[in-house]
Amino acid sequence: MAHPHIHPFLLTTLKLTDTKTSIMNKLLSSFLTLCFLVLVFDTPTSNATGRNMVDGIFLPSQKNEQPYRTGYHFQPPSNWMNDPNGPMLYQGVYHFFYQYNPLAPTFGTIVWGHAVSHDLVNWIHLDPAIYPTDEPDISSCWSGSATILPGNLPAMLYTGSDSTSRQVQDLAWPKNRSDPFLREWVKSTHNPIITPPEGVKDDCFRDPSTAWLGPDGLWRIVVGGDRDNNGMAFLYQSPDFVTWTRYENPLAAADSTGTWECPDFFPVPLNSTNGLDTSVVSSGSVLHVMKAGFEGHDWYTIGTYSPDRENFLPQNGLSLSGSTLDLRYDYGNFYASKSFFDESKNRRVLWAWVPEKDSEEDDIEKGWAGLQSFPRALWIDRSGKQLIQWPVEEIETLRENEVKLKNKRLKSGSVVEIEGVTASQADVTISFKLEDLKEAEVVDTCSVDPQALCTDKGASSKGVIGPFGVLAMASKDLKEQTAIFFRVFQNQKGRYSVLMCSDLSRSTIRSTIDKTSFGAFVDIDPRYDEISLRNLIDHSIIESFGAGGKTCITSRVYPQFLNYEDAHLFAFNNGTQSVKISQMSAWSMKNAEFTIDQTVKSAT
Ligand SMILES: OC[C@H]1O[C@@](CO)(OC[C@@]2(OC[C@@]3(O[C@H]4O[C@H](CO)[C@@H](O)[C@H](O)[C@H]4O)O[C@H](CO)[C@@H](O)[C@@H]3O)O[C@H](CO)[C@@H](O)[C@@H]2O)[C@@H](O)[C@@H]1O
């Protein structure tokens, strides 16, 4: 089916009239809804999505038709998706919005896709919630965040790209608060509520955060941007959510990072895995996290926020910058993340965009691009120095057919198949016990880049203690394999370091794929701690969690073998010293349900 094109329509119409007539809004609204419905309901036979649909439920793709679509990671039925937006819990329903181009599997005019869930696992797709209608967002509705105001009123702040591509901040409200799915949204008549500050380029000012309420009763938000290429989180305050005043100093900044995208700022309690409402202030037992996206990664630092002085002091005293700060949520493909406080389970939940690593031509061919990470709970490590991330517990409802292993020695050079699991859609936890560390290879780990070390010493490069780990999404003959592994080093003073790698160099024999490997150190002492690894494998995505979520690496993989019954899973050890699998549990994962809301269906 030829996809209708929206851009000329939108742009010409708005340039000609440049007004806010309700007729035009209705026309645009109907047109966008129609485009969405046409695309969504084209899916049963469409090769673009590879999904069949019965009674509004997407069934797994025909075997081999769409090998890279996921079984339990969120994605829309088709087309382009990037950042997660405005996640929240409202009347017991989880809402997830996302940057979405309903018209093509490539970046374009962006609307807010919308889906709801009762468990963060199974999702109901709704019509797009926010889309270009008026001058303050006529070119696109970009990223933003939800805040639940007193009286249980959700407010959505987002970036509008106007007709001159100026980035402004806009506000939208639900049209009908008694609808728990909040299907329709209306824009504030005050839009734009914030315009770029003087000295900030029009296209370097975006992505408002969730607001927090200061002890003085004023709301605060941060907005990402830069001045002269120095990235920063501009800080604003408001008494009413409509009138916003900027503080002179940004809440955080770093030199030469370029524009900060999607800043997130939230409190974390010490010595607890719980989350906190965004308005809780720092105290002896509460610290704050500042996160920003730049240079293609999400960076964070932990520190103390003083609302009275209106400043944030990173605990390590360094500025938030890629060159000086080594804290990242994830060391693979994981960007533009956003968290929200889930009061039903007292936890903070994190989402992130996991971009494609194939070519744009490949995306056009498959009819879609972009995944979301599986929602992760996030809390501060006992050390107080870093965050821990772990898939939300609801994921366990998808597990079936557990396969276990205990006290299995992996001799040097061994490759052991883990049989009995659906290797293309699995949840695998494994713990390694090391016995003798004295012979660990000597490397000056302080001066070495872990990603470069992983690239240099991939899974096939023999070591002493490691590489050991798993080979996921592997073909039977191992010509294609993604190795997620550890390798232990010591420095001249005998201090041990554990390197975690995702070696993508042999993940596919296809040539159009970016096969850059990833790596990071894991902050554990292998003399006392076993080394654990969890992998969420889902066709073209592998989310890897080292040491209980201390180090996370998300990878995209596109093996050439097309029959997913041909995917295999192995444990391996390519070090000269043997290692022991103290325990392993692997589950096949059922498909999550992705359905279409009845109102969308009946509207056709
Ligand atoms: O949807 C807009 C919102 O998304 C954010 C954060 O993701 O801005 C993204 C941005 O560029 C999207 C774009 O790719 C470029 O940026 C990516 C990440 O920032 C890079 O990974 C990529 O290499 C860059 O090319 O995605 C398309 C294809 O990848 C490409 O055409 C886009 O440029 O959107 C803005 C407009 O393009 C640009 O300024 C941003 O970097 C968030 O900040 C927005 O609210």
Side-chain angles (χ1 to χ4, degrees):
M1 192 199 101
H3 292 164
H5 284 286
I6 195 161
H7 309 209
F9 175 85
L10 271 175
L11 293 176
T12 339
T13 313
L14 268 296
K15 269 181 193 146
L16 281 176
T17 61
D18 204 21
T19 64
K20 294 182 179 179
T21 68
S22 63
I23 294 173
M24 189 55 70
N25 286 350
K26 276 194 182 133
L27 263 174
L28 287 167
S29 156
S30 314
F31 183 67
L32 273 162
T33 306
L34 184 70
C35 292
F36 179 73
L37 296 177
V38 166
L39 290 164
V40 162
F41 287 98
D42 187 38
T43 55
T45 51
S46 165
N47 207 28
T49 67
R51 294 276 161 163
N52 294 323
M53 214 179 68
V54 171
D55 292 338
I57 298 181
F58 285 110
L59 300 175
S61 50
Q62 293 290 310
K63 202 159 71 180
N64 304 335
E65 211 177 55
Q66 275 282 343
Y68 306 126
R69 274 192 80 85
T70 54
Y72 59 96
H73 281 79
F74 183 90
Q75 57 184 141
S78 61
N79 290 319
W80 169 272
M81 170 175 70
N82 57 298
D83 312 357
N85 291 155
M88 63 175 178
L89 178 70
Y90 178 73
Q91 288 187 15
V93 177
Y94 292 106
H95 287 255
F96 182 68
F97 304 85
Y98 53 91
Q99 292 283 282
Y100 180 48
N101 178 2
L103 301 174
T106 49
F107 194 75
T109 299
I110 296 290
V111 307
W112 276 41
H114 186 193
V116 288
S117 169
H118 291 98
D119 56 8
L120 291 172
V121 174
N122 303 296
W123 291 90
I124 303 170
H125 289 292
L126 304 173
D127 283 330
I130 302 176
Y131 40 83
T133 51
D134 299 289
E135 174 58 21
D137 65 10
I138 201 60
S139 291
S140 267
C141 298
W142 282 351
S143 286
S145 309
T147 307
I148 311 279
L149 303 186
N152 207 23
L153 170 61
M156 209 59 92
L157 290 170
Y158 68 100
T159 297
S161 175
D162 74 10
S163 60
T164 62
S165 294
R166 184 175 67 142
Q167 294 166 7
V168 297
Q169 313 316 319
D170 296 329
L171 173 63
W173 307 103
K175 191 171 177 185
N176 173 11
R177 282 163 65 192
S178 59
D179 169 16
F181 284 9
L182 301 174
R183 292 172 174 89
E184 290 182 89
W185 290 75
V186 286
K187 317 260 174 87
S188 168
T189 52
H190 299 282
N191 286 343
I193 52 165
I194 306 177
T195 54
E198 224 180 279
V200 173
K201 287 197 211 128
D202 279 355
D203 60 349
C204 296
F205 180 62
R206 55 183 177 270
D207 309 338
S209 71
T210 293
W212 66 97
L213 195 58
D216 54 6
L218 298 174
W219 291 101
R220 269 91 165 155
I221 54 165
V222 282
V223 180
D226 78 74
R227 279 185 196 278
D228 303 325
N229 205 39
N230 301 320
M232 53 192 72
F234 294 103
L235 178 65
Y236 287 82
Q237 65 159 50
S238 170
D240 56 7
F241 238 76
V242 171
T243 318
W244 291 89
T245 313
R246 187 171 58 83
Y247 288 85
E248 198 178 319
N249 294 325
L251 191 56
D255 294 344
S256 312
T257 59
T259 300
W260 279 13
E261 296 183 321
C262 304
D264 200 7
F265 186 63
F266 55 87
V268 278
L270 287 166
N271 304 315
S272 169
T273 57
N274 285 347
L276 287 172
D277 181 87
T278 312
S279 292
V280 171
V281 292
S282 287
S283 66
S285 60
V286 175
L287 293 173
H288 266 73
V289 174
M290 169 65 75
K291 182 281 296 190
F294 52 87
E295 295 164 357
H297 307 299
D298 273 2
W299 302 88
Y300 74 92
T301 187
I302 300 171
T304 310
Y305 168 59
S306 315
D308 45 342
R309 286 194 298 274
E310 222 51 73
N311 71 2
F312 169 72
L313 292 176
Q315 61 183 2
N316 58 7
L318 298 170
S319 62
L320 187 67
S321 133
S323 56
T324 52
L325 199 76
D326 203 16
L327 287 175
R328 272 171 53 182
Y329 278 172
D330 191 295
Y331 292 83
N333 292 332
F334 187 96
Y335 193 63
S337 63
K338 192 168 294 296
S339 71
F340 76 104
F341 176 58
D342 174 5
E343 65 174 1
S344 71
K345 295 213 167 182
N346 251 328
R347 62 186 174 185
R348 186 157 283 273
V349 176
L350 180 73
W351 287 88
W353 170 37
V354 183
E356 298 300 317
K357 287 290 154 178
D358 58 1
S359 68
E360 193 165 291
E361 289 70 35
D362 292 332
D363 295 342
I364 291 166
E365 168 98 22
K366 63 194 205 290
W368 59 272
L371 300 178
Q372 297 293 328
S373 60
F374 198 86
R376 300 175 181 181
L378 164 137
W379 65 90
I380 196 166
D381 181 47
R382 255 176 294 161
S383 68
K385 293 202 169 102
Q386 68 160 103
L387 295 173
I388 305 283
Q389 297 158 67
W390 201 242
V392 295
E393 61 189 9
E394 289 89 334
I395 195 172
E396 292 170 22
T397 59
L398 295 175
R399 288 171 166 176
E400 62 182 6
N401 303 333
E402 183 178 6
V403 171
K404 282 183 171 184
L405 214 61
K406 239 182 172 21
N407 294 326
K408 167 95 186 155
R409 187 166 292 281
L410 284 181
K411 287 196 197 130
S412 172
S414 55
V415 179
V416 175
E417 177 147 21
I418 298 163
E419 286 173 296
V421 261
T422 308
S424 57
Q425 206 170 299
D427 182 354
V428 184
T429 63
I430 189 161
S431 253
F432 297 96
K433 199 171 164 64
L434 309 179
E435 271 141 21
D436 185 5
L437 296 170
K438 284 195 297 291
E439 303 302 319
E441 297 158 86
V442 178
V443 165
D444 180 8
T445 46
C446 291
S447 61
V448 78
D449 169 11
Q451 184 172 6
L453 200 53
C454 287
T455 307
D456 187 33
K457 296 183 187 296
S460 56
S461 137
K462 209 166 188 63
V464 178
I465 305 173
F468 60 85
V470 299
L471 303 177
M473 292 305 292
S475 56
K476 182 82 182 156
D477 60 6
L478 291 175
K479 279 198 178 124
E480 293 185 308
Q481 50 161 283
T482 298
I484 303 105
F485 66 84
F486 300 103
R487 189 161 173 154
V488 179
F489 298 96
Q490 59 182 318
N491 67 12
Q492 308 288 0
K493 294 180 185 157
R495 193 165 177 261
Y496 295 104
S497 293
V498 177
L499 180 71
M500 175 174 163
C501 303
S502 177
D503 177 356
L504 295 163
S505 58
R506 287 191 282 170
S507 57
T508 180
I509 54 171
R510 293 179 54 197
S511 59
T512 55
I513 309 294
D514 175 357
K515 288 179 257 184
T516 307
S517 291
F518 302 117
F521 289 111
V522 190
D523 185 22
I524 53 171
D525 189 334
R527 288 175 301 175
Y528 312 114
D529 303 321
E530 289 195 358
I531 305 181
S532 74
L533 175 65
R534 181 175 181 185
N535 285 300
L536 299 183
I537 304 165
D538 193 3
H539 300 260
S540 63
I541 180 171
I542 304 174
E543 291 190 71
S544 305
F545 301 84
K550 281 191 167 187
T551 299
C552 307
I553 301 179
T554 299
S555 310
R556 296 298 308 275
V557 298
Y558 307 84
Q560 171 74 64
F561 64 84
L562 286 180
N563 187 340
Y564 270 76
E565 282 163 8
D566 286 347
H568 296 266
L569 178 69
F570 301 88
F572 80 101
N573 176 19
N574 200 18
T576 51
Q577 230 167 265
S578 63
V579 296
K580 192 155 88 181
I581 297 177
S582 54
Q583 52 185 26
M584 187 220 68
S585 281
W587 293 265
S588 300
M589 295 294 273
K590 290 179 273 192
N591 286 315
E593 275 185 9
F594 292 95
T595 56
I596 300 285
D597 180 44
Q598 288 305 307
T599 58
V600 174
K601 200 174 181 185
S602 61
T604 57

